[in-house]
Amino acid sequence: MADSSKLDKTFDPTAIETRLYEAWESEGCFKAGRAPEAEPYTIVIPPPNVTGSLHMGHALNNTLQDILCRFERMRGRDVLWQPGTDHAGIATQMVVERQLAEQGNESRREMGREKFLERVWQWKEESGSTITRQLRRLGASCDWSRERFTMDAGLSKAVLKVFVTLYEQGLIYKDKRLVNWDPGLLTAISDLEVEQRETNSHLWHFNYPLEDGSGHITVATTRPETMLGDTGVAVHPEDERYKDLIGKNVVLPIVGRLIPIIADEYADPEKGSGAVKITPAHDFNDFEVGKRCGLAAINMLDQHAAIDLSDEAFDTMDRKDEWHGLDRYEARKNIVATLEGLGLVDKIEPDTHMVPYGDRSNQVIEPWLTDQWYVDAEAMAKPAIEAVKSGATKFVPPNWDKTYFEWMNNIQPWCISRQLWWGHQIPAWYDEDGNVFVAESEEAAQAQAGEGVALTRDEDVLDTWFSSALWPFSTLGWPDETPELARHYKTDVLVTGFDIIFFWVARMMMSGLHFKDEVPFHTVYVHALVRDEKGQKMSKSKGNVVDPLEIMDKYGADALRFTLSAMAAMGRDIKLAESRVEGYRNFATKLWNAARFCEMNDCFEAGEFDPTKASLPLTQWLVGEVARAQNAVTTALEAYRFNDASNGVYQFIWNSFCDWYVELAKPALQGADGVAKAEVQAATKWAMDQALRLLHPFMPFVTEEVWAKTAQRDNHLMLDVWPNFPESFINEAADAEVSWLIAAIGEIRSVRSEMNVPAGAQVPLVVVGADAATQKRLSETNAVLKRLARLADISEADAVPEGAVQTVLGEATFALPLADVIDVDAEKARLAKDISKVEGEIKKISGKLGNQGFMDKAPEAVIEENKARLAEEEARRDKLQSALARLG
RNA sequence: GGGCGAUUAGCUCAGCGGGAGAGCACUACAUUGACAUUGUAGGGGUCACUGGUUCAAUCCCAGUAUCGCCCA
């Protein structure tokens, strides 16, 4: 059923995108297993937050994955692009809590765990399809029949298995140590979830009186309020100012506790007063100092980061009720005021320092002593480091492995427990004495504990990234030994932004190696961050967010995809300017109109074209151009050079095919030579089909539409075959012919334009000094030359006519006799400028050739090339000089 | 403080040991043309700076300056 309807004059993406996507999906084009004999190709999607919506980073990330998947699918691989979503513990729980508050509902704690979780699941069901619908909008060719969610049954089973196994292997353990405590969310978070923000504050200098009454020592601090928990004052062992004080005690003001002055290299003599108060329970560095020097860690904050003086250390403190329960910042003010009243404030300096914030909650984080579950990341990192060292997994671009090593070599225990409700509940049960039983089910835990022992389950859930870390194998069915797991693990390439190398990539490496004994992917392609036009990180608060959905509505998904791909050069951020998207929308239109041209010239009805049997220089040249483009795009994609690949196909279609081939083909297509016409028609269709194939991974919609509209096809373009042409398709002789023709047209156009010959005017061309080859070319290309250079006729002569503008091509001089129009002075100036340009080149090249060192050491080919160029330029200069001389 | 990266046309950015490129913007011209979401032609660069290696440096090396990101 050949579609005989004419293509519309412009291409309307919105009208076709949904229709095409639905057709692909409903016909199973995205499904893995279509080619059971073929080599599998596997990518797991970085699972977006289930309640999120598509931002520009997703658009880039998924466009690149889709390009790879479509490319490999066309190359015959059995592609599985495994999709799914992440439960995103903190983020999702926060969203639902906010909703409850906005709707005036009872709060999470009032509702209770069970009811709240029901509510979250309900929200997940409502909003979970938003992001996957948006991915479809982008054209993502995921196998949706295999969609997974980090909290679905299968993946939860994997989580249990991993937790229990690691626990049994001693790689997961419970420990009491300082954690990053979020006093707003009331949960611990991992180091990675803490953002250090530069903050303007003060450095307070307090005088702590010496016990012996001999004076005081001045300590400098950024956190006055934690002084209540001080258990020491540290000075540098080499610091002459304080050497005599080491070992003495000071009386901690307000509290009255005696605390020692100790020597530790942590105290920086350059900073503040050189003496620093040590609060082991509320500062990570102080905790270490305390451990080294045997200082107690006294807790003085509650979970809300309010002052809590219930520790027995405060039993003897005067007026402690005035402090107990105060908010930390209130306490800070009061402490400073009280010390001022006591005359113990030495000075207060403005100071800028880093303050830790929760990346989700925006709360100032408190180091706080709690019991939490940890993964022994150091042990698990070892094989993961080795795997990258050995090249089992490669980063592209490779410099990211430095970042990876840097972090992995200094990895800290990973705090995996969260005091949240939304997530995988930790499979640990406690008896009344606090003994812990870790098992995959309550029954198994009970069996460990013994019949009749009352057990309570650990209330905490796991860090979201704990389940994400299993994604490459849990989505394939692990712990069951499914056929998919056997076939698709390890996966091929992971495509991700550098911001989650630590959060995700490193942890997948660790868990993959531990549980599957093999890396999860052989390549990690790390792409840039998308920023706004000015290079600023996009954020809602800055109001500079470019919404990919709006862009797609305006320009189409193809245009957005192509823009992102064309700008995805390695190692650099993408500054997205809307003008680029507009330009690539125009590119889609260009392709569309090229197709219309082919249709109007009956190319799609033409017979088969055998590229090895092309007989005309034009079609031979075209075959070579297609082969070159195919090779450029393929090579670039194999190397993940998305920008080169995009530019390659862009240049081929716009410059080679539309600007030159189509223009050069017009005389034949509209001419009387039936044989030539038939060959050109067939070649045009063939080249157009190759163009559609090469562009399809980048612009799937417009290419599929053109494919369907222009000929009787028995398949979708997305399931068609990626072209692969041999070097022999490039025909040097044909290249030379067409290059000469292009150069001739260019020279004439240029000289016409510069001499202000009206663009519409048909002028005669007189060629002087043409050799036999040029004479032959002139006669063979007469029609097309006249057409594209707008010539009235072409003749040859022995001498340049009076009053002609001239230009030089090879051995021949092209003259346009324009006696009545010509401005002799302008023409002289133009030629003089040309000559000086050429002479500049000649000087450069002859300088090189005159250099003995160059002649001795440069490769022969380079020397020959320079000699040839010199000869060419000299000949050109001579021709131009005689042209100038002729003007008198 | 440690690490990584950047500096090339007015803007956004490719490139790279041997003839400085693209897109956009700009200027002029063009409505015969598949396409004005177009075409043709053109202007515009000490490839940040200073040294070094080399027959040859925008490219490699060292340093300087400026800017950015990550980690502490």
Side-chain angles (χ1 to χ4, degrees):
Chain A
M1 44 145 247
D3 193 334
S4 60
S5 72
K6 289 280 178 207
L7 297 169
D8 294 334
K9 196 167 177 183
T10 51
F11 161 66
D12 177 12
T14 47
I16 64 158
E17 287 175 358
T18 314
R19 171 170 54 77
L20 287 175
Y21 195 92
E22 280 170 5
W24 288 328
E25 189 175 1
S26 65
E27 290 170 39
C29 299
F30 305 150
K31 283 200 173 182
R34 282 179 34 261
E37 307 302 320
E39 195 187 344
Y41 182 82
T42 312
I43 292 183
V44 292
I45 202 168
N49 291 359
V50 67
T51 63
S53 73
L54 193 79
H55 59 57
M56 209 43 97
H58 291 127
L60 170 66
N61 178 251
N62 290 289
T63 293
L64 300 183
Q65 291 175 77
D66 195 46
I67 289 169
L68 293 174
C69 286
R70 288 179 183 271
F71 170 61
E72 295 295 353
R73 201 180 279 117
M74 289 178 79
R75 292 219 288 182
R77 302 280 290 271
D78 181 20
V79 172
L80 168 58
W81 185 7
Q82 172 64 50
T85 50
D86 189 276
H87 66 279
I90 293 179
T92 306
Q93 178 162 325
M94 277 176 66
V95 168
V96 176
E97 284 195 85
R98 199 178 311 132
Q99 282 177 357
L100 290 174
E102 277 165 11
Q103 296 160 3
N105 280 308
E106 47 182 359
S107 73
R108 164 166 77 99
R109 286 177 203 283
E110 287 162 347
M111 282 178 122
R113 186 166 190 145
E114 200 173 327
K115 209 167 146 201
F116 177 75
L117 286 180
E118 259 173 48
R119 182 63 193 250
V120 185
W121 275 108
Q122 188 190 328
W123 168 243
K124 184 253 167 193
E125 296 309 323
E126 281 168 30
S127 80
S129 59
T130 302
I131 187 85
T132 54
R133 197 172 58 243
Q134 290 166 337
L135 287 172
R136 285 174 167 92
R137 176 76 208 284
L138 188 67
S141 60
C142 305
D143 184 351
W144 297 107
S145 70
R146 299 189 45 82
E147 186 180 346
R148 293 292 185 277
F149 174 53
T150 46
M151 275 176 64
D152 68 23
L155 273 63
S156 298
K157 187 170 147 192
V159 167
L160 285 180
K161 171 101 177 168
V162 165
F163 187 95
V164 173
T165 308
L166 291 178
Y167 177 79
E168 285 167 355
Q169 293 169 339
L171 292 167
I172 281 181
Y173 56 92
K174 202 165 184 183
D175 196 10
K176 188 183 189 95
R177 37 184 289 161
L178 279 188
V179 289
N180 301 292
W181 181 261
D182 188 318
L185 291 171
L186 304 181
T187 179
I189 57 177
S190 73
D191 299 342
L192 286 176
E193 293 162 285
V194 178
E195 240 173 57
Q196 302 289 337
R197 297 191 198 156
E198 199 166 78
T199 307
N200 291 321
S201 173
H202 296 90
L203 194 58
W204 287 270
H205 294 247
F206 299 146
N207 295 333
Y208 282 9
L210 291 162
E211 182 193 14
D212 59 15
S214 64
H216 62 259
I217 185 167
T218 305
V219 299
T221 181
T222 58
R223 297 216 54 194
E225 66 278 12
T226 64
M227 70 161 290
L228 302 177
D230 286 0
T231 55
V233 170
V235 296
H236 196 274
E238 306 298 318
D239 194 333
E240 294 298 334
R241 293 171 292 179
Y242 301 117
K243 262 195 164 157
D244 296 342
L245 298 180
I246 294 167
K248 292 189 173 182
N249 285 330
V250 296
V251 183
L252 185 62
I254 300 175
V255 183
R257 184 190 307 136
L258 284 182
I259 60 175
I261 297 171
I262 50 117
D264 191 279
E265 292 186 350
Y266 168 64
D268 179 356
E270 303 296 313
K271 215 185 159 206
S273 63
V276 60
K277 71 190 200 57
I278 301 297
T279 322
H282 298 286
D283 181 283
F284 287 100
N285 289 311
D286 292 6
F287 187 80
E288 294 304 317
V289 176
K291 262 201 335 210
R292 280 198 292 271
C293 303
L295 304 178
I298 300 174
N299 178 61
M300 40 106 359
L301 289 174
D302 68 12
Q303 61 171 351
H304 303 285
I307 305 297
D308 180 348
L309 301 183
S310 49
D311 191 286
E312 59 184 23
F314 297 101
D315 285 354
T316 58
M317 178 179 163
D318 287 341
R319 298 157 68 183
K320 71 176 186 182
D321 293 349
E322 288 173 24
W323 299 100
H324 189 82
L326 274 186
D327 170 78
R328 51 186 162 168
Y329 296 112
E330 200 62 25
R332 175 178 296 183
K333 265 192 272 177
N334 291 4
I335 297 256
V336 173
T338 304
L339 290 178
E340 261 173 344
L342 292 169
L344 296 178
V345 175
D346 177 49
K347 57 179 171 179
I348 303 175
E349 298 174 313
D351 185 50
T352 306
H353 57 262
M354 293 297 187
V355 174
Y357 279 80
D359 64 352
R360 293 281 172 189
S361 68
N362 238 6
Q363 295 276 332
V364 175
I365 296 304
E366 285 295 341
W368 203 44
L369 265 176
T370 54
D371 284 308
Q372 302 288 344
W373 290 94
Y374 292 90
V375 168
D376 181 352
E378 198 184 339
M380 294 193 65
K382 284 190 180 114
I385 292 168
E386 199 42 50
V388 174
K389 271 191 188 152
S390 73
T393 294
K394 287 193 179 68
F395 281 91
V396 178
N399 50 311
W400 286 108
D401 60 14
K402 289 202 193 78
T403 307
Y404 175 85
F405 289 136
E406 183 69 19
W407 190 69
M408 291 293 256
N409 286 324
N410 296 294
I411 199 163
Q412 298 298 310
W414 174 18
C415 175
I416 49 170
S417 44
R418 297 288 179 277
Q419 287 65 52
L420 304 173
W421 289 348
W422 177 241
H424 298 99
Q425 194 171 352
I426 291 176
W429 285 262
Y430 304 95
D431 65 15
E432 283 172 349
D433 300 328
N435 294 310
V436 61
F437 305 96
V438 170
E440 287 182 48
S441 65
E442 183 158 7
E443 293 72 41
Q446 191 72 62
Q448 285 179 30
E451 196 93 10
V453 177
L455 292 180
T456 347
R457 183 163 185 180
D458 195 315
E459 299 229 322
D460 292 351
V461 300
L462 289 164
D463 181 3
T464 295
W465 296 102
F466 190 87
S467 52
S468 314
L470 319 180
W471 191 247
F473 51 92
S474 64
T475 51
L476 295 171
W478 190 91
D480 297 336
E481 291 297 335
T482 59
E484 289 83 2
L485 184 64
R487 183 161 167 78
H488 292 283
Y489 193 94
K490 69 188 169 198
T491 72
D492 285 84
V493 55
L494 182 81
V495 178
T496 189
F498 59 80
D499 48 332
I500 54 173
I501 290 179
F502 305 146
F503 275 109
W504 194 44
V505 180
R507 289 160 178 177
M508 284 190 286
M509 289 292 290
M510 293 192 263
S511 59
L513 282 160
H514 194 80
F515 289 95
K516 288 294 297 169
D517 208 23
E518 192 177 12
V519 292
F521 21 71
H522 58 67
T523 297
V524 180
Y525 175 75
V526 180
H527 63 245
L529 240 47
V530 186
R531 297 169 184 280
D532 77 0
E533 220 164 333
K534 299 188 193 86
Q536 309 245 350
K537 210 166 168 173
M538 289 187 192
S539 76
K540 277 180 203 156
S541 53
K542 278 187 212 145
N544 62 347
V545 175
V546 183
D547 182 354
L549 298 159
E550 280 174 27
I551 295 284
M552 286 192 278
D553 285 342
K554 202 163 162 193
Y555 302 105
D558 286 332
L560 174 63
R561 291 169 58 110
F562 202 90
T563 307
L564 292 170
S565 169
M567 296 185 83
M570 282 189 199
R572 234 211 253 224
D573 287 346
I574 296 178
K575 291 184 199 164
L576 187 66
E578 195 169 320
S579 60
R580 286 294 285 265
V581 187
E582 190 182 349
Y584 291 124
R585 186 272 319 266
N586 296 352
F587 177 51
T589 309
K590 187 77 181 177
L591 176 81
W592 185 260
N593 280 296
R596 289 182 71 224
F597 172 83
C598 297
E599 185 185 43
M600 290 163 89
N601 286 282
D602 301 323
C603 297
F604 292 114
E605 281 91 65
E608 278 302 304
F609 175 71
D610 180 347
T612 61
K613 301 221 168 72
S615 69
L616 306 165
L618 179 61
T619 52
Q620 289 168 340
W621 168 79
L622 177 68
V623 167
E625 288 296 291
V626 168
R628 268 191 260 264
Q630 180 276 135
N631 183 52
V633 177
T634 305
T635 311
L637 281 182
E638 283 173 343
Y640 305 98
R641 302 184 67 93
F642 294 94
N643 60 324
D644 288 344
S646 314
N647 291 335
V649 69
Y650 181 95
Q651 276 172 23
F652 167 68
I653 291 175
W654 202 311
N655 303 127
S656 305
F657 188 76
C658 293
D659 288 348
W660 285 112
Y661 173 75
V662 164
E663 294 306 323
L664 298 175
K666 278 175 181 174
L669 288 170
Q670 290 154 18
D673 181 344
V675 178
K677 180 174 172 175
E679 177 172 330
V680 170
Q681 282 174 323
T684 305
K685 171 186 188 281
W686 175 83
M688 189 71 203
D689 280 357
Q690 307 315 321
L692 293 173
R693 291 185 174 110
L694 294 179
L695 184 58
H696 181 263
F698 307 90
M699 289 190 154
F701 294 109
V702 67
T703 50
E704 186 76 79
E705 181 69 359
V706 171
W707 178 261
K709 279 264 168 74
T710 50
Q712 167 77 47
R713 315 276 190 180
D714 50 15
N715 64 354
H716 286 302
L717 175 59
M718 76 161 284
L719 299 181
D720 203 77
V721 178
W722 188 257
N724 181 21
F725 301 127
E727 189 90 347
S728 62
F729 271 34
I730 294 167
N731 181 322
E732 306 271 356
D735 281 359
E737 294 302 305
V738 176
S739 297
W740 177 87
L741 178 57
I742 287 173
I745 293 165
E747 281 295 334
I748 298 166
R749 279 174 173 172
S750 179
V751 78
R752 285 176 61 118
S753 175
E754 280 178 52
M755 295 316 294
N756 297 315
V757 176
Q762 306 249 359
V763 297
L765 170 68
V766 180
V767 181
V768 180
D771 63 15
T774 299
Q775 287 172 355
K776 184 162 172 275
R777 282 168 170 168
L778 282 169
S779 94
E780 280 168 353
T781 61
N782 184 283
V784 72
L785 198 52
K786 272 161 54 178
R787 181 184 181 119
L788 296 189
R790 305 208 53 75
L791 301 172
D793 65 70
I794 299 170
S795 58
E796 287 175 53
D798 294 332
V800 173
E802 280 297 308
V805 295
Q806 306 157 65
T807 187
V808 172
L809 181 63
E811 84 298 344
T813 299
F814 283 23
L816 303 177
L818 297 163
D820 39 346
V821 225
I822 187 173
D823 174 342
V824 175
D825 288 338
E827 172 66 355
K828 276 184 181 167
R830 187 185 65 81
L831 287 170
K833 198 178 132 204
D834 267 11
I835 290 167
S836 83
K837 236 189 218 171
V838 173
E839 276 179 339
E841 277 302 306
I842 290 171
K843 207 174 152 194
K844 240 161 107 180
I845 303 169
S846 40
K848 237 186 224 186
L849 291 169
N851 180 339
Q852 198 51 47
F854 175 78
M855 297 305 284
D856 289 347
K857 297 195 176 174
E860 194 59 26
V862 174
I863 294 173
E864 284 312 310
E865 190 197 330
N866 276 280
K867 279 185 179 165
R869 267 180 54 215
L870 181 62
E872 236 170 73
E873 297 290 355
E874 281 174 344
R876 184 170 171 82
R877 178 195 56 194
D878 295 347
K879 299 276 170 208
L880 287 168
Q881 266 167 350
S882 34
L884 183 60
R886 259 175 239 126
L887 293 170

